[in-house]
Amino acid sequence: MALHWKILIGMVSGILFGIIISYMGMQWLVKDWIKPFGTIFINMLKLIAIPLIIVSLIKGIVDLHDINKFKTMGVRTFVLYIVTTVIAVSIGLILVNIIQPGNQVSNDTIQQLSASYGTDMKSNIDKATATTANGPLQFLIDMVPDNFFKAASVNSNMLQVIFFAIFFGIALLLVDKKTAQPVKDFFTGTNEVIMKMVDIIMLMAPVAVFALLASLVTEITSPDIFVALGWYVVTVILGLMLMLVFYSSVVYLYAKVTPSTFFKAMAPAQLLAFSTSSSAATLPVTMERVEEHLGVDKEVTSFVCPLGATVNMDGTSLYQAVAAVFICEAMHFNLSFTDQLTIIITATLASIGSAAVPGAGLIMLVVVLESLGLPAETMAVGLALIFAVDRPLDMSRTIINITGDSMVALVIGKSLGKLHKSKPKNIDDNYNFEA
Ligand code: ASP
């Protein structure tokens, strides 16, 4: 049976199990005895994320043999990342203006939700405001670490690690061939080892997603909120689905890869993104699928995917656009056409600034709302309004975030002549331990 089916079965049975356990009032069973396996799985994925980025980026750059190729790839990647994000925000804006979910929320719901979550939101607003209080070039400063080990010891410092790896890779490319060879060999070998670790971790995936989803379901407190905010949820999900249509069209028209091949290759990563709500945790699997199952060369995958995980978040930007307009509408805060244009810019930047971890998109939404001039009090109520349904939307937008990265990797691969027939050589699909 293909891996994605196994993961899917794990997810569905996890949800059913969670529902049954909740009915029986035995949430402790899941919390104490099942959830830990999900947490261990996520930890394992995060554990290899930083070494994977370092090793594969350095190897990828060295394999390019030519600094100019790196420049071309870099420019194309950035352009595509920005273009796809702007398209995502625009789709979100168009949908939210047509559906107008903010006008469907009753005052009762607003009051009820702000009473239960209003205070939680203050800390989120403070967190986001702290980020924006710095100068406009702060993000550049943040990207350059002053100590490699400090940078590599915190998962959220991914951009700093990427900076170091690119810098190292470029320098290695410039060193004379004979001296560089053993260093290259070391990274090539280590890269293989880490990819194999991904395969081994993935053997645990079906059980792990069972644990993750069962514990999520038992933690849901008020299912009726979904009905009250139904139109908002529908708008975001519809937008995310349109992004999938957009990706598969591009992939088909430009790279001649059929949507079914594309989605079959990416399904395990997508299901994992859904279960973990974290592009960073999913990164090792995203890279493995793009490289081995879509056939994109390592040079491209190892540059485009880690960068995309932190920088390119189409799902998050689309969600931020919809959520911003929804909140303003529900709070009767009028938005002009210029405001909507502001959203395109700020949601694009906010999604770039969002960390690739659960819930980051909601925190950075504050930046979008602040740019619209929403008063702090209103903002707290607005965020409280969407907070209860944020987790499932976070899970869904993370799927789009990683799918967007893989689409860009495929397109860049094709444009540079670095797209080949896929050659899955792993154990994750056929459980054959011989490489
Ligand atoms: N959870 C998302 C990710 O990791 C970010 C977000 O939208 O909250 O890609």
Side-chain angles (χ1 to χ4, degrees):
M1 196 196 289
L3 180 67
H4 57 267
W5 290 117
K6 287 184 193 150
I7 300 182
L8 208 61
I9 293 173
M11 287 168 73
V12 174
S13 41
I15 293 174
L16 293 178
F17 185 75
I19 294 175
I20 296 171
I21 285 287
S22 298
Y23 266 113
M24 292 164 57
M26 286 169 62
Q27 281 86 340
W28 60 268
L29 183 78
V30 172
K31 187 169 164 268
D32 292 348
W33 295 98
I34 294 182
K35 191 177 179 180
F37 295 100
T39 313
I40 291 173
F41 177 69
I42 295 189
N43 284 354
M44 301 246 273
L45 285 171
K46 286 189 185 160
L47 170 71
I48 52 169
I50 296 269
L52 175 66
I53 293 177
I54 298 174
V55 169
S56 71
L57 252 179
I58 293 175
K59 172 168 167 40
I61 293 174
V62 175
D63 283 348
L64 284 173
H65 301 295
D66 177 1
I67 209 102
N68 286 322
K69 279 199 200 143
F70 178 69
K71 271 193 223 148
T72 317
M73 184 166 77
V75 171
R76 284 184 194 175
T77 307
F78 273 107
V79 170
L80 277 181
Y81 278 166
I82 300 290
V83 171
T84 51
T85 306
V86 171
I87 291 176
V89 178
S90 311
I91 290 181
L93 278 181
I94 293 171
L95 284 180
V96 74
N97 280 297
I98 295 174
I99 301 177
Q100 305 194 342
N103 295 334
Q104 330 269 351
V105 196
S106 69
N107 280 337
D108 283 352
T109 311
I110 298 181
Q111 269 169 8
Q112 189 196 336
L113 286 170
S114 67
S116 20
Y117 300 111
T119 37
D120 293 357
M121 286 307 124
K122 298 252 163 42
S123 66
N124 276 341
I125 296 179
D126 292 344
K127 255 189 245 169
T129 315
T131 356
T132 46
N134 302 316
L137 292 184
Q138 186 63 35
F139 76 98
L140 275 184
I141 303 180
D142 289 343
M143 238 160 70
V144 186
D146 60 356
N147 181 317
F148 170 72
F149 293 99
K150 210 165 88 191
S153 65
V154 184
N155 277 333
S156 57
N157 282 344
M158 229 156 226
L159 276 183
Q160 297 192 341
V161 174
I162 291 176
F163 176 85
F164 175 82
I166 292 179
F167 193 15
F168 190 98
I170 291 175
L172 188 56
L173 209 55
L174 300 175
V175 166
D176 82 72
K177 280 217 167 73
K178 230 177 109 220
T179 324
Q181 198 54 47
V183 185
K184 269 196 219 171
D185 292 344
F186 168 76
F187 283 110
T188 308
T190 315
N191 190 57
E192 286 293 310
V193 175
I194 294 179
M195 288 307 252
K196 190 56 79 187
M197 289 169 89
V198 179
D199 290 342
I200 298 172
I201 295 171
M202 283 305 277
L203 295 177
M204 198 183 150
V207 179
V209 294
F210 171 89
L212 287 169
L213 287 182
S215 63
L216 257 179
V217 170
T218 52
E219 281 161 16
I220 292 178
T221 39
S222 47
D224 20 317
I225 287 305
F226 289 89
V227 182
L229 298 179
W231 283 109
Y232 161 66
V233 175
V234 167
T235 313
V236 176
I237 300 285
L238 194 66
L240 297 178
M241 284 176 16
L242 285 178
M243 284 310 287
L244 289 181
V245 176
F246 167 66
Y247 294 146
S248 36
S249 319
V250 174
V251 159
Y252 183 65
L253 294 175
Y254 183 72
K256 299 281 172 295
V257 172
T258 62
S260 89
T261 313
F262 180 65
F263 287 119
K264 241 188 232 153
M266 292 315 297
Q270 291 171 322
L271 295 174
L272 225 57
F274 184 80
S275 311
T276 60
S277 267
S278 166
S279 317
T282 314
L283 179 64
V285 183
T286 311
M287 290 176 68
E288 193 242 21
R289 300 307 293 189
V290 171
E291 195 182 311
E292 291 178 9
H293 295 256
L294 283 178
V296 180
D297 257 8
K298 190 176 277 356
E299 297 99 279
V300 178
T301 316
S302 58
F303 176 72
V304 176
C305 292
L307 205 65
T310 38
V311 165
N312 183 45
M313 296 194 184
D314 298 345
T316 300
S317 64
L318 186 148
Y319 144 85
Q320 283 168 337
V322 173
V325 176
F326 169 76
I327 288 176
C328 292
E329 230 167 48
M331 305 309 294
H332 307 294
F333 183 87
N334 278 339
L335 291 178
S336 63
F337 184 66
T338 331
D339 288 334
Q340 306 250 1
L341 293 182
T342 312
I343 294 181
I344 298 193
I345 299 168
T346 49
T348 302
L349 294 178
S351 70
I352 293 175
S354 302
V357 296
L362 178 78
I363 298 176
M364 290 305 277
L365 177 61
V366 173
V367 177
V368 182
L369 293 172
E370 266 175 356
S371 72
L372 297 172
L374 203 68
E377 274 306 306
T378 321
M379 201 189 304
V381 178
L383 290 175
L385 189 59
I386 58 167
F387 184 67
V389 292
D390 200 61
R391 183 64 194 219
L393 294 183
D394 190 2
M395 298 159 79
S396 315
R397 65 193 186 237
T398 309
I399 299 184
I400 305 303
N401 290 347
I402 67 117
T403 311
D405 301 342
S406 10
M407 187 238 17
V408 172
L410 192 71
V411 168
I412 302 276
K414 175 80 183 171
S415 81
L416 295 173
K418 293 196 174 290
L419 182 63
H420 311 290
K421 244 181 95 55
S422 65
K423 40 175 185 326
K425 54 169 181 188
N426 47 28
I427 51 171
D428 58 17
D429 271 6
N430 49 32
Y431 289 86
N432 170 10
F433 264 89
E434 288 150 38

